[in-house]
Amino acid sequence: MADSVEKLLSKVGKLPTMPHVASKILELVSNPDTSATKLQRVIDSDQVLAMRILKVANSALYALPRKVKTLQQAIVMLGFNHIRSLVLAEAIQNLFKGKSKKGDLLESLLWEHSVGAAIGAKCAAQICNCPLGEEAFVASLIHDVGKLILLQGDPEAYRDIVETIYIEYQPFSDLEREYFDVEHAEVGALLAERWNLHEKLVEGIRLHHEPDGGDQLTDLIRIGNAIAYKAQWGFRKEPELDLATIPAAGRLGMDDEMLIHALNKAKELMETERQIFGVPATGKSS
Ligand SMILES: [Fe+2]
Ligand SMILES: [Fe+2]
């Protein structure tokens, strides 16, 4: 791994660091002695983040019984675990905001795919009564961040890779390995490791293109990813994909009916959540 990290960094430069306020908040929420007031004070120091938390807390994604008007209410009603994922979601979204004009369209398609996969994984978790919905949401939001890092590291090369995939279907990993010596799943896992994210999440990112391995969280990422392909979110569009053929579906105990239910629920949520997550309406991004 050390060798490939060296090679990667020589190709793409430094990995993005987590914003200071976000890392402070993540540290606080993992400490059982942290009070809601202390957490609120730190979040309040970043007004953009505080506003985002309120906005997402009030979205259909959380379906809270009443409107959350203050940050304090959001912390009490959602709990530390959800606040953690909202903070991470904001940090991840900022990575996708595009540093160069050249990468804008691809970054936007990658972000659409990530949001779709995250919503798909969360819906799948709900439908199979798995308690990992929140973790699956965040993990799926970040699962392809390696593509973004490779794209931002060398936009010309990555655009060539995407064009080749459009013309003659080939797995991303083969072409990425050919040019960058590493594939996006490894790069994403490395970033998650550097950001001190949970080891299961790191594992899920690393294994998301392997048919087997990992645990339920990894399987939820795989299902979310497949739902995004089938729903045609992002640049890989597979409307004919039979979700039941994904081995992860069987392991999660999801039959055809449950998979279609998850897909339809995800499509419904994607339409209401697009604006909140800054994903252009269908048709504008592709
Ligand atoms: Fe991927
Ligand atoms: Fe993906």
Side-chain angles (χ1 to χ4, degrees):
M1 185 75 184
D3 263 11
S4 55
V5 171
E6 286 306 311
K7 276 184 194 163
L8 163 72
L9 296 180
S10 70
K11 287 271 186 187
V12 302
K14 281 203 312 199
L15 289 175
T17 52
M18 184 181 282
H20 176 70
V21 177
S23 78
K24 178 79 193 147
I25 295 168
L26 296 183
E27 193 187 310
L28 284 175
V29 294
S30 52
N31 179 353
D33 294 331
T34 297
S35 67
T37 318
K38 185 164 186 191
L39 180 61
Q40 187 193 336
R41 219 179 303 132
V42 178
I43 299 176
D44 262 336
S45 70
D46 183 336
Q47 279 302 299
V48 176
L49 178 63
M51 297 278 290
R52 288 278 309 155
I53 288 181
L54 272 183
K55 208 170 174 187
V56 182
N58 281 308
S59 75
L61 206 59
Y62 287 96
L64 291 175
R66 59 191 163 85
K67 193 167 163 55
V68 173
K69 292 188 183 136
T70 64
L71 193 53
Q72 192 186 18
Q73 284 174 345
I75 295 171
V76 172
M77 287 176 78
L78 291 171
F80 281 18
N81 192 31
H82 286 89
I83 296 293
R84 177 192 284 117
S85 59
L86 292 182
V87 169
L88 275 170
E90 172 69 5
I92 299 161
Q93 184 166 352
N94 282 337
L95 289 182
F96 280 86
K97 275 187 181 160
K99 288 182 186 158
S100 68
K101 279 268 171 270
K102 282 181 175 176
D104 279 354
L105 177 64
L106 279 187
E107 283 167 10
S108 153
L109 287 169
L110 275 175
W111 182 236
E112 179 183 52
H113 170 77
S114 305
V115 173
I119 291 175
K122 189 173 168 110
C123 291
Q126 264 167 9
I127 284 156
C128 59
N129 267 329
C130 170
L132 294 172
E134 202 55 29
E135 288 76 5
F137 181 81
V138 173
S140 301
L141 214 47
I142 203 175
H143 79 287
D144 272 343
V145 75
K147 285 183 183 168
L148 179 78
I149 292 168
L150 296 177
L151 169 67
Q152 290 178 345
D154 192 338
E156 294 301 321
Y158 211 77
R159 278 217 303 267
D160 283 352
I161 288 178
V162 174
E163 263 167 40
T164 308
I165 287 164
Y166 257 130
I167 298 163
E168 39 181 292
Y169 178 78
Q170 282 193 53
F172 266 98
S173 46
D174 292 357
L175 291 170
E176 288 168 345
R177 198 162 272 290
E178 217 173 274
Y179 184 83
F180 291 97
D181 296 321
V182 284
E183 53 191 83
H184 70 268
E186 289 172 67
V187 182
L190 180 66
L191 181 81
E193 228 168 52
R194 293 272 170 98
W195 280 19
N196 287 323
L197 302 184
H198 195 279
E199 62 187 43
K200 290 288 176 196
L201 197 147
V202 175
E203 177 184 70
I205 295 171
R206 183 174 289 121
L207 297 176
H208 76 267
H209 285 294
E210 304 292 329
D212 315 297
D215 62 4
Q216 270 199 330
L217 181 62
T218 310
D219 278 339
L220 287 168
I221 300 172
R222 291 174 177 130
I223 293 292
N225 196 33
I227 285 177
Y229 293 154
K230 187 161 176 75
Q232 307 184 67
W233 295 321
F235 43 68
R236 186 163 157 187
K237 303 179 190 303
E238 292 186 47
E240 306 300 329
L241 177 66
D242 179 359
L243 294 172
T245 60
I246 314 277
R251 287 190 293 268
L252 290 166
M254 296 186 83
D255 59 21
D256 273 336
E257 202 182 323
M258 291 163 88
L259 289 163
I260 289 176
H261 187 182
L263 173 69
N264 289 338
K265 180 115 190 63
K267 282 182 174 171
E268 211 178 281
L269 269 177
M270 184 68 165
E271 287 326 301
T272 59
E273 303 310 279
R274 271 182 184 277
Q275 204 199 355
I276 281 182
F277 284 100
V279 179
T282 313
K284 288 186 186 163
S285 61
S286 54

